[in-house]
Every structure is written in C-alpha cells, then in structure tokens.
Amino acid sequence: MKKTISFAILHFSVAFTITYLLTGSIVIGGAVALIEPAVNTVVFYFHDKAWNRIEANETANNDLASIAVS
C-alpha cells in the first residue's frame, strides 16, 4: 500500500508540475493533477480488459494448436 500511495503522490506531482509550467496557473495545474489520474484509471481498466481478452485468445489458440499436433 505504501508503494501505491507514493506512486499516486508522484503521479499527482508530475501532472501538476508539468501543467503549471506550461500554463502558469495553479488552478489549472491542480485541476489537471486531479482529473488526469482519474481518467487514466478508467482507461487502464478497459486496457486491462482488452489485454485479458487477447491473452485468453492466445491461450485458446495455443491449446488448439497443441491438440492439432497431437
């Protein structure tokens, strides 16, 4: 859990710092630092689901190939 919390702090800090440096706005930097990780979390969920489907298809194809060779 400590690693997850430290990564979250790092992620927020990087998002805020980059946005602040680009815009000069603390408000916009803060907003991006809050919104970007939330959006990334949702995107990661769907990315993970897609990869699980790809891996399941590869496993099924490998199983079929090994049956065909037998």
Side-chain angles (χ1 to χ4, degrees):
M1 192 64 175
K2 290 178 186 178
K3 183 178 177 182
T4 300
I5 292 169
S6 70
F7 180 75
I9 292 168
L10 180 65
H11 192 139
F12 288 121
S13 299
V14 169
F16 174 81
T17 302
I18 290 173
T19 305
Y20 175 73
L21 291 173
L22 290 172
T23 66
S25 171
I26 290 175
V27 173
I28 294 173
V32 169
L34 294 174
I35 294 168
E36 188 271 338
V39 171
N40 244 346
T41 300
V42 173
V43 169
F44 178 78
Y45 170 78
F46 290 107
H47 177 265
D48 198 43
K49 283 186 71 141
W51 270 107
N52 286 339
R53 188 171 297 154
I54 290 168
E55 289 173 341
N57 286 339
E58 287 177 355
T59 300
N61 289 340
N62 288 340
D63 290 347
L64 288 175
S66 65
I67 291 171
V69 171
S70 297

